[in-house]
Structures are given as structure tokens and as C-alpha cells.
């Protein structure tokens, strides 16, 4: 079993090699190289608007800290996998004045498949009270076509929700990678906890190291600090893969 780490994803550098050439130059069409089959040329490129908020954000205040968590549901409405995305946001008071901001680079983990909808758990910085509103903008920084590797689902072996402190919880999921593919550091677990009425009252997020083909690991995620005192009756989560090659 691989150790769990919360280190950020370190992008590798690809080195390209050139094959030997004959003495005669290849003919080109107007000195322009044609794109290989399967590239995204002439196809619609994803836009920031392809990642949309499908539920108004809710807040989870953290006492004694300069900030609070927020939970929302987002969806990829494009027809291609989105990678290397981020989120910006502005939190406002009831009178419309600024009270906090959101700025996160999600990197190549948390890739959203076409049509995929997930719970997203994030943080608002520089805030000492609950905001009256939060305006979120999701950035699409790069993308690629969906492949078999992207759509492969891990096998879930075990799940465990455990209280680790006053109003704080840890959620562990043991997964098996039965695919022939390796996945890079940054496979992410993200979800929510609900009360017995089905209301979302907390969120959690965590990540794993490189997950090799045929291996299994445990992804651990910590919840926010919940002051509502609501008992947790159920949970929902998504496992989002890092779809780049392991470094």
C-alpha cells in the first residue's frame, strides 16, 4: 500500500526525440504541417463557461480563523475532458462590499469528464464573517480529448468516516486500480456530508500519491470545521483522476 501525501502535483518535463531523415526533404502542402488524426484542430475549444455552478454555494464558518469553507456543485458541460483548471471568486457582505476572495489552481488533478457533475469543496480567504454572496468563475486553462484511461473507474474496497476532533471528521476510501494504466500524483477525493434531512452540512477533500497499475491505496480527506452540530447521516463523494502521465 502506498503512503498518502498531501504534496502538490509536480509536473514532469517531456523530452521529444527526432528520428533520422533521408537526404530528400519531404513534400509539404504550402510548407504547413497537417495535424495528426485525433487532434483538436477545427474542433470547438472548451471555454470557462463550460464549467458551471449548478448549486448556490453554502458556507461552513471556521471560528478563530481568517476564512471559511464553501461547498458548491459544478458540472462540465463541454464535450471534452477539461484539465488544468482553476477557480476565482469574490465574497461580498450584505451591503455589497468585498469581504473575501477565492483563487485556486486545481492543476491537472480533478479532471472533469464530459457531462460530469461533482461536489466542490473550497475556501474563502481573508474573511472574518459569513459572506452574503459568493460569485465564482471557473477557468479552463488547458484540455484534451477523452481516452479510455480517463474514463476508467477505480474499484472501491473500503470506506470509513471517523471523528478526529470536535466537529472535525476524516474520511478514508481504499481503492484498487485494476486498469493497465498508471495515474499521476493528485488523484483527488472530494465530497460532502449530509444530515438526516438530506441537507449538506460539511465538505471534505484530500489527495493521493502516484497510483500504479494493479496497485491499491487509501485516499484520506479531512472535513471542514462544522459549528452547526448537525449529526451526519450520509455522504456523497467523487474520485477525480490526475490524467497526466506520472512524472
Amino acid at each position: 500500500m502506498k503512503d498518502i501525501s498531501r504534496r502538490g502535483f509536480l509536473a514532469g518535463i517531456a523530452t521529444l526525440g527526432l528520428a533520422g531523415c533521408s537526404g530528400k526533404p519531404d513534400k509539404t502542402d504550402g510548407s504547413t504541417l497537417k495535424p495528426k488524426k485525433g487532434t483538436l484542430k477545427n474542433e470547438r475549444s472548451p471555454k470557462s463557461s463550460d464549467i458551471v455552478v449548478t448549486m448556490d454555494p453554502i458556507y461552513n464558518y471556521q471560528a478563530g480563523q481568517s476564512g471559511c469553507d464553501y461547498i458548491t456543485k459544478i458540472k462540465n458541460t463541454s464535450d471534452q475532458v477539461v484539465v488544468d483548471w482553476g477557480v476565482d471568486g469574490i465574497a461580498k457582505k450584505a451591503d455589497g462590499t468585498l469581504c473575501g476572495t477565492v483563487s485556486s489552481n486545481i492543476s491537472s488533478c480533478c479532471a472533469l469528464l464530459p457531462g460530469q457533475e461533482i461536489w466542490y469543496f473550497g475556501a474563502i480567504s481573508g474573511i472574518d464573517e459569513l459572506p452574503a454572496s459568493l460569485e465564482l468563475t471557473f477557468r479552463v486553462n488547458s484540455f484534451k480529448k477523452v481516452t479510455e484511461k480517463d474514463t476508467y473507474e477505480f474499484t472501491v474496497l473500503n470506506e470509513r468516516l471517523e471523528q478526529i476532533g470536535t466537529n472535525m471528521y476524516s474520511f478514508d476510501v481504499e481503492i484498487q486500480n485494476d486498469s493497465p494504466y498508471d495515474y499521476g500524483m493528485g488523484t483527488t477525493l472530494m465530497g460532502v456530508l449530509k444530515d438526516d434531512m438530506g441537507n449538506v452540512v460539511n465538505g471534505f477533500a484530500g489527495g493521493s500519491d502516484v497510483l500504479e497499475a494493479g496497485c491499491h491505496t487509501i485516499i484520506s480527506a479531512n472535513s471542514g470545521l462544522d459549528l452547526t452540530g448537525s449529526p451526519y447521516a450520509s455522504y456523497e463523494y467523487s474520485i477525480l483522476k490526475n490524467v497526466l502521465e506520472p512524472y
Side-chain angles (χ1 to χ4, degrees):
M1 181 178 298
K2 290 190 172 297
D3 295 332
I4 304 303
S5 171
R6 297 197 180 280
R7 298 190 303 271
F9 173 76
L10 302 178
I13 299 176
T15 303
L16 300 178
L18 297 178
C21 299
S22 63
K24 295 183 180 180
D26 293 332
K27 291 184 179 181
T28 59
D29 183 8
S31 299
T32 301
L33 296 176
K34 294 182 179 180
K36 294 181 179 179
K37 182 179 180 181
T39 64
L40 295 173
K41 190 173 181 63
N42 298 324
E43 296 185 17
R44 185 185 66 81
S45 297
K47 306 180 295 294
S48 293
S49 59
D50 286 326
I51 302 181
V52 299
V53 176
T54 58
M55 187 194 78
D56 290 337
I58 59 177
Y59 312 105
N60 198 41
Y61 186 59
Q62 298 188 46
Q65 300 183 31
S66 180
C68 75
D69 300 324
Y70 69 92
I71 304 164
T72 190
K73 185 175 279 189
I74 62 174
K75 183 177 183 178
N76 174 12
T77 60
S78 74
D79 53 2
Q80 298 164 52
V81 171
V82 177
V83 295
D84 192 10
W85 55 283
V87 56
D88 298 314
I90 299 176
K92 295 182 178 180
K93 301 179 181 179
D95 62 5
T97 58
L98 178 70
C99 65
T101 59
V102 171
S103 182
S104 301
N105 278 317
I106 313 303
S107 189
S108 55
C109 66
C110 299
L112 295 179
L113 295 174
Q116 186 177 16
E117 187 174 38
I118 67 165
W119 293 103
Y120 181 74
F121 180 57
I124 308 171
S125 60
I127 195 171
D128 57 6
E129 63 180 274
L130 286 177
S133 65
L134 176 61
E135 300 171 2
L136 297 175
T137 301
F138 289 87
R139 290 175 273 108
V140 177
N141 298 326
S142 64
F143 59 93
K144 72 179 187 67
K145 274 190 170 182
V146 64
T147 66
E148 180 185 60
K149 177 180 178 179
D150 303 329
T151 58
Y152 189 90
E153 294 185 3
F154 299 131
T155 301
V156 175
L157 303 176
N158 292 293
E159 301 172 357
R160 181 180 65 179
L161 178 64
E162 181 181 26
Q163 186 169 1
I164 58 175
T166 304
N167 299 326
M168 288 285 292
Y169 290 80
S170 175
F171 185 61
D172 301 323
V173 177
E174 184 180 8
I175 58 175
Q176 175 80 25
N177 178 15
D178 294 316
S179 80
Y181 305 107
D182 296 340
Y183 293 90
M185 181 184 296
T187 294
T188 299
L189 171 67
M190 195 170 295
V192 294
L193 302 170
K194 295 184 175 183
D195 63 15
D196 55 4
M197 299 295 291
N199 299 312
V200 175
V201 292
N202 212 332
F204 53 84
S208 75
D209 281 340
V210 173
L211 184 56
E212 297 176 353
C215 293
H216 74 283
T217 190
I218 295 176
I219 307 181
S220 296
N222 289 335
S223 75
L225 177 62
D226 174 35
L227 299 183
T228 67
S230 301
Y232 299 138
S234 62
Y235 53 80
E236 295 179 10
Y237 67 90
S238 298
I239 298 175
L240 306 173
K241 297 182 291 294
N242 180 342
V243 297
L244 297 187
E245 295 299 320
Y247 66 90

